Short mmCIF file of all heavy atoms in Angstrom, two decimals:
data_model
loop_
_atom_site.label_atom_id
_atom_site.label_comp_id
_atom_site.label_asym_id
_atom_site.label_seq_id
_atom_site.Cartn_x
_atom_site.Cartn_y
_atom_site.Cartn_z
N GLN L 164 -14.57 -4.80 -6.89
CA GLN L 164 -14.20 -3.54 -6.25
C GLN L 164 -15.44 -3.00 -5.52
O GLN L 164 -16.58 -3.26 -5.73
CB GLN L 164 -13.65 -2.61 -7.24
CG GLN L 164 -14.71 -2.06 -8.28
CD GLN L 164 -14.16 -1.04 -9.11
OE1 GLN L 164 -13.04 -0.57 -9.01
NE2 GLN L 164 -15.07 -0.43 -9.99
N ILE L 165 -15.08 -2.20 -4.53
CA ILE L 165 -16.17 -1.46 -3.81
C ILE L 165 -16.70 -0.38 -4.64
O ILE L 165 -15.84 0.52 -5.13
CB ILE L 165 -15.56 -0.95 -2.39
CG1 ILE L 165 -15.22 -2.14 -1.54
CG2 ILE L 165 -16.65 -0.05 -1.74
CD1 ILE L 165 -14.61 -1.75 -0.36
N THR L 166 -17.94 -0.25 -4.84
CA THR L 166 -18.59 0.84 -5.66
C THR L 166 -19.35 1.85 -4.92
O THR L 166 -19.74 2.95 -5.36
CB THR L 166 -19.51 0.24 -6.78
OG1 THR L 166 -20.48 -0.57 -6.10
CG2 THR L 166 -18.73 -0.65 -7.79
N GLN L 167 -19.63 1.46 -3.60
CA GLN L 167 -20.47 2.49 -2.73
C GLN L 167 -20.22 2.23 -1.24
O GLN L 167 -20.08 1.09 -0.78
CB GLN L 167 -21.93 2.30 -3.04
CG GLN L 167 -22.79 3.24 -2.11
CD GLN L 167 -24.26 2.85 -2.30
OE1 GLN L 167 -24.77 2.28 -3.34
NE2 GLN L 167 -25.08 3.21 -1.35
N ILE L 168 -19.94 3.28 -0.58
CA ILE L 168 -19.95 3.22 0.95
C ILE L 168 -20.86 4.34 1.42
O ILE L 168 -20.80 5.48 0.95
CB ILE L 168 -18.50 3.46 1.43
CG1 ILE L 168 -17.68 2.38 1.02
CG2 ILE L 168 -18.54 3.64 2.94
CD1 ILE L 168 -16.10 2.59 1.44
N SER L 169 -21.81 4.05 2.29
CA SER L 169 -22.70 4.96 2.86
C SER L 169 -23.17 4.59 4.19
O SER L 169 -22.84 3.56 4.70
CB SER L 169 -23.85 5.23 1.91
OG SER L 169 -24.66 4.03 1.73
N LEU L 170 -23.97 5.56 4.90
CA LEU L 170 -24.46 5.21 6.16
C LEU L 170 -25.93 4.86 6.02
O LEU L 170 -26.67 5.42 5.10
CB LEU L 170 -24.39 6.45 6.94
CG LEU L 170 -22.95 6.85 7.44
CD1 LEU L 170 -22.98 8.14 8.28
CD2 LEU L 170 -22.28 5.69 8.25
N ILE L 171 -26.56 4.15 6.95
CA ILE L 171 -27.90 3.76 6.86
C ILE L 171 -28.64 4.86 7.73
O ILE L 171 -28.34 5.12 8.89
CB ILE L 171 -28.17 2.53 7.58
CG1 ILE L 171 -27.51 1.39 6.76
CG2 ILE L 171 -29.73 2.18 7.68
CD1 ILE L 171 -27.59 0.03 7.33
N ASN L 172 -29.57 5.53 7.08
CA ASN L 172 -30.35 6.66 7.77
C ASN L 172 -31.64 6.09 8.20
O ASN L 172 -32.50 5.99 7.34
CB ASN L 172 -30.38 7.93 6.82
CG ASN L 172 -29.06 8.57 6.51
OD1 ASN L 172 -28.27 8.75 7.46
ND2 ASN L 172 -28.88 8.79 5.26
N CYS L 173 -31.88 5.82 9.52
CA CYS L 173 -33.06 5.30 9.99
C CYS L 173 -34.18 6.43 10.16
O CYS L 173 -33.76 7.60 10.49
CB CYS L 173 -32.90 4.58 11.28
SG CYS L 173 -31.84 3.21 11.09
N ARG L 174 -35.49 6.11 10.10
CA ARG L 174 -36.52 7.08 10.17
C ARG L 174 -36.57 7.61 11.51
O ARG L 174 -36.94 8.83 11.78
CB ARG L 174 -37.81 6.49 9.84
CG ARG L 174 -38.09 6.21 8.35
CD ARG L 174 -39.49 5.81 8.13
NE ARG L 174 -39.38 4.42 7.82
CZ ARG L 174 -40.40 3.73 7.34
NH1 ARG L 174 -41.68 4.32 7.16
NH2 ARG L 174 -40.38 2.49 7.07
N ASP L 175 -36.07 6.87 12.62
CA ASP L 175 -36.18 7.34 13.96
C ASP L 175 -34.86 8.14 14.45
O ASP L 175 -34.72 8.50 15.47
CB ASP L 175 -36.48 6.22 14.99
CG ASP L 175 -35.37 5.26 15.05
OD1 ASP L 175 -34.34 5.36 14.35
OD2 ASP L 175 -35.47 4.31 15.83
N GLY L 176 -33.91 8.27 13.46
CA GLY L 176 -32.68 8.97 13.73
C GLY L 176 -31.62 8.16 14.32
O GLY L 176 -30.53 8.65 14.54
N SER L 177 -31.87 6.82 14.53
CA SER L 177 -30.86 6.04 15.12
C SER L 177 -29.89 5.57 14.17
O SER L 177 -30.09 5.69 12.89
CB SER L 177 -31.55 4.81 15.70
OG SER L 177 -32.22 3.99 14.71
N ASN L 178 -28.67 5.13 14.65
CA ASN L 178 -27.57 4.77 13.74
C ASN L 178 -27.64 3.31 13.55
O ASN L 178 -27.61 2.59 14.46
CB ASN L 178 -26.21 5.23 14.38
CG ASN L 178 -25.06 4.75 13.69
OD1 ASN L 178 -25.08 4.17 12.54
ND2 ASN L 178 -23.85 4.82 14.29
N ALA L 179 -27.64 2.82 12.24
CA ALA L 179 -27.69 1.41 11.98
C ALA L 179 -26.42 0.90 11.28
O ALA L 179 -26.48 -0.09 10.57
CB ALA L 179 -28.96 1.03 11.27
N GLY L 180 -25.39 1.68 11.36
CA GLY L 180 -24.20 1.30 10.68
C GLY L 180 -24.04 1.73 9.29
O GLY L 180 -24.75 2.64 8.83
N GLY L 181 -23.14 1.14 8.58
CA GLY L 181 -22.90 1.51 7.11
C GLY L 181 -23.32 0.46 6.15
O GLY L 181 -23.70 -0.64 6.50
N VAL L 182 -23.19 0.90 4.83
CA VAL L 182 -23.43 0.09 3.72
C VAL L 182 -22.20 -0.02 2.90
O VAL L 182 -21.52 1.04 2.69
CB VAL L 182 -24.58 0.58 2.97
CG1 VAL L 182 -24.84 -0.21 1.65
CG2 VAL L 182 -25.85 0.78 3.72
N VAL L 183 -21.84 -1.21 2.40
CA VAL L 183 -20.61 -1.38 1.49
C VAL L 183 -21.28 -2.22 0.35
O VAL L 183 -21.86 -3.22 0.58
CB VAL L 183 -19.50 -2.12 2.22
CG1 VAL L 183 -18.52 -2.42 1.06
CG2 VAL L 183 -18.91 -1.27 3.30
N VAL L 184 -21.11 -1.72 -0.93
CA VAL L 184 -21.55 -2.38 -2.02
C VAL L 184 -20.32 -2.76 -2.87
O VAL L 184 -19.44 -2.00 -3.22
CB VAL L 184 -22.43 -1.43 -2.92
CG1 VAL L 184 -22.96 -2.23 -4.19
CG2 VAL L 184 -23.70 -1.10 -2.06
N LEU L 185 -20.30 -4.04 -3.26
CA LEU L 185 -19.16 -4.56 -4.05
C LEU L 185 -19.74 -4.97 -5.41
O LEU L 185 -20.81 -5.53 -5.41
CB LEU L 185 -18.48 -5.77 -3.40
CG LEU L 185 -17.91 -5.53 -2.02
CD1 LEU L 185 -18.72 -6.22 -1.04
CD2 LEU L 185 -16.50 -5.86 -2.05
N SER L 186 -19.04 -4.90 -6.44
CA SER L 186 -19.35 -5.28 -7.79
C SER L 186 -18.26 -6.02 -8.47
O SER L 186 -17.12 -5.73 -8.23
CB SER L 186 -19.76 -4.10 -8.71
OG SER L 186 -20.98 -3.51 -8.13
N ALA L 187 -18.59 -7.10 -9.18
CA ALA L 187 -17.64 -7.85 -9.89
C ALA L 187 -18.30 -8.26 -11.26
O ALA L 187 -19.49 -8.48 -11.46
CB ALA L 187 -17.30 -9.19 -9.14
N ASN L 188 -17.46 -8.40 -12.33
CA ASN L 188 -17.96 -8.72 -13.61
C ASN L 188 -16.96 -9.69 -14.21
O ASN L 188 -15.71 -9.42 -14.24
CB ASN L 188 -18.05 -7.56 -14.45
CG ASN L 188 -18.65 -7.84 -15.83
OD1 ASN L 188 -18.24 -8.69 -16.50
ND2 ASN L 188 -19.69 -7.13 -16.18
N ASN L 189 -17.41 -10.89 -14.75
CA ASN L 189 -16.48 -11.80 -15.27
C ASN L 189 -16.51 -11.82 -16.87
O ASN L 189 -16.21 -12.82 -17.53
CB ASN L 189 -16.77 -13.15 -14.75
CG ASN L 189 -18.00 -13.79 -15.17
OD1 ASN L 189 -18.89 -13.14 -15.91
ND2 ASN L 189 -18.35 -14.95 -14.77
N GLY L 190 -17.09 -10.78 -17.37
CA GLY L 190 -17.23 -10.69 -18.82
C GLY L 190 -18.76 -10.96 -19.38
O GLY L 190 -19.15 -10.20 -20.27
N SER L 191 -19.36 -11.89 -18.68
CA SER L 191 -20.71 -12.16 -19.20
C SER L 191 -21.68 -11.94 -18.06
O SER L 191 -22.89 -11.91 -18.27
CB SER L 191 -20.79 -13.66 -19.60
OG SER L 191 -20.44 -14.50 -18.67
N THR L 192 -21.28 -11.92 -16.75
CA THR L 192 -22.14 -11.80 -15.69
C THR L 192 -21.62 -10.80 -14.66
O THR L 192 -20.49 -10.66 -14.38
CB THR L 192 -22.19 -13.12 -14.91
OG1 THR L 192 -22.63 -14.17 -15.78
CG2 THR L 192 -23.26 -13.08 -13.79
N THR L 193 -22.59 -9.94 -14.23
CA THR L 193 -22.27 -8.83 -13.23
C THR L 193 -22.87 -9.36 -11.87
O THR L 193 -24.05 -9.78 -11.90
CB THR L 193 -22.79 -7.54 -13.63
OG1 THR L 193 -22.20 -7.26 -14.87
CG2 THR L 193 -22.53 -6.50 -12.62
N TYR L 194 -21.99 -9.27 -10.83
CA TYR L 194 -22.53 -9.71 -9.53
C TYR L 194 -22.45 -8.44 -8.61
O TYR L 194 -21.44 -7.64 -8.73
CB TYR L 194 -21.63 -10.75 -8.92
CG TYR L 194 -21.58 -12.00 -9.65
CD1 TYR L 194 -20.60 -12.32 -10.64
CD2 TYR L 194 -22.66 -12.98 -9.51
CE1 TYR L 194 -20.59 -13.43 -11.31
CE2 TYR L 194 -22.61 -14.13 -10.23
CZ TYR L 194 -21.58 -14.33 -11.20
OH TYR L 194 -21.59 -15.52 -11.93
N THR L 195 -23.45 -8.25 -7.87
CA THR L 195 -23.45 -7.16 -6.81
C THR L 195 -23.74 -7.76 -5.39
O THR L 195 -24.68 -8.47 -5.25
CB THR L 195 -24.53 -6.10 -7.12
OG1 THR L 195 -24.29 -5.67 -8.54
CG2 THR L 195 -24.46 -4.92 -6.20
N PHE L 196 -22.87 -7.28 -4.50
CA PHE L 196 -23.08 -7.71 -3.11
C PHE L 196 -23.28 -6.40 -2.21
O PHE L 196 -22.46 -5.54 -2.32
CB PHE L 196 -21.80 -8.44 -2.60
CG PHE L 196 -21.50 -9.75 -3.42
CD1 PHE L 196 -20.72 -9.63 -4.53
CD2 PHE L 196 -22.06 -10.93 -3.10
CE1 PHE L 196 -20.49 -10.68 -5.32
CE2 PHE L 196 -21.77 -11.97 -3.85
CZ PHE L 196 -21.02 -11.95 -5.00
N LYS L 197 -24.28 -6.36 -1.46
CA LYS L 197 -24.57 -5.33 -0.61
C LYS L 197 -24.53 -5.71 0.84
O LYS L 197 -25.42 -6.51 1.26
CB LYS L 197 -25.94 -4.71 -1.04
CG LYS L 197 -26.27 -3.39 -0.32
CD LYS L 197 -27.66 -2.91 -0.81
CE LYS L 197 -27.96 -1.55 -0.31
NZ LYS L 197 -29.31 -1.02 -0.85
N LEU L 198 -23.66 -5.20 1.60
CA LEU L 198 -23.47 -5.49 2.97
C LEU L 198 -24.02 -4.36 3.82
O LEU L 198 -23.56 -3.19 3.61
CB LEU L 198 -21.94 -5.71 3.37
CG LEU L 198 -21.16 -6.64 2.42
CD1 LEU L 198 -19.76 -6.40 2.74
CD2 LEU L 198 -21.62 -8.03 2.57
N LEU L 199 -24.92 -4.66 4.69
CA LEU L 199 -25.56 -3.70 5.55
C LEU L 199 -25.22 -3.87 6.99
O LEU L 199 -25.15 -5.07 7.45
CB LEU L 199 -27.11 -3.54 5.32
CG LEU L 199 -27.53 -3.07 4.01
CD1 LEU L 199 -27.77 -4.28 3.06
CD2 LEU L 199 -28.75 -2.29 4.14
N HIS L 200 -25.21 -2.83 7.85
CA HIS L 200 -24.91 -2.93 9.24
C HIS L 200 -23.49 -3.21 9.45
O HIS L 200 -23.09 -4.00 10.36
CB HIS L 200 -25.82 -3.87 10.06
CG HIS L 200 -27.18 -3.72 9.73
ND1 HIS L 200 -27.98 -2.48 10.04
CD2 HIS L 200 -28.19 -4.47 9.22
CE1 HIS L 200 -29.15 -2.61 9.67
NE2 HIS L 200 -29.37 -3.78 9.11
N VAL L 201 -22.58 -2.58 8.72
CA VAL L 201 -21.09 -2.88 8.75
C VAL L 201 -20.42 -1.53 8.91
O VAL L 201 -20.81 -0.48 8.71
CB VAL L 201 -20.63 -3.53 7.44
CG1 VAL L 201 -21.31 -4.89 7.32
CG2 VAL L 201 -20.84 -2.70 6.26
N GLN L 202 -18.94 -1.73 9.25
CA GLN L 202 -18.04 -0.72 9.31
C GLN L 202 -17.11 -1.00 8.10
O GLN L 202 -16.44 -2.07 8.13
CB GLN L 202 -17.32 -0.69 10.60
CG GLN L 202 -16.26 0.34 10.75
CD GLN L 202 -15.53 0.28 11.99
OE1 GLN L 202 -15.83 -0.42 12.86
NE2 GLN L 202 -14.34 0.96 12.04
N PRO L 203 -16.98 -0.13 7.14
CA PRO L 203 -16.02 -0.32 6.01
C PRO L 203 -14.62 -0.57 6.56
O PRO L 203 -14.15 0.24 7.37
CB PRO L 203 -16.25 0.86 5.16
CG PRO L 203 -17.46 1.51 5.64
CD PRO L 203 -17.67 1.20 6.93
N LEU L 204 -13.79 -1.38 5.77
CA LEU L 204 -12.43 -1.51 5.98
C LEU L 204 -11.62 -1.20 4.77
O LEU L 204 -10.39 -1.10 4.84
CB LEU L 204 -12.09 -2.94 6.40
CG LEU L 204 -12.64 -3.42 7.69
CD1 LEU L 204 -12.28 -4.89 7.98
CD2 LEU L 204 -12.15 -2.61 8.88
N ALA L 205 -12.25 -0.90 3.65
CA ALA L 205 -11.58 -0.58 2.34
C ALA L 205 -12.32 0.61 1.79
O ALA L 205 -13.47 0.97 2.11
CB ALA L 205 -11.58 -1.71 1.47
N GLY L 206 -11.79 1.23 0.78
CA GLY L 206 -12.35 2.44 0.15
C GLY L 206 -12.92 2.21 -1.21
O GLY L 206 -12.63 1.18 -1.88
#
């Protein structure tokens, strides 16, 4: 599932897109995937 959606705030004020963080757990292992410079399609 998606656990975070945010914008990238650059020091120079430019827009670098968004961030989507996904997490998954199979009972013994937790996986986290962080996608940067993206436009989210899910909530």
Side-chain angles (χ1 to χ4, degrees):
Q164 68 176 1
I165 295 175
T166 58
Q167 177 186 340
I168 295 176
S169 59
L170 293 176
I171 299 171
N172 296 312
C173 298
R174 286 189 253 188
D175 68 354
S177 62
N178 176 8
V182 177
V183 173
V184 179
L185 302 112
S186 293
N188 186 309
N189 68 2
S191 61
T192 306
T193 299
Y194 301 97
T195 305
F196 302 89
K197 186 175 185 180
L198 311 169
L199 294 95
H200 310 299
V201 298
Q202 175 185 352
L204 295 177

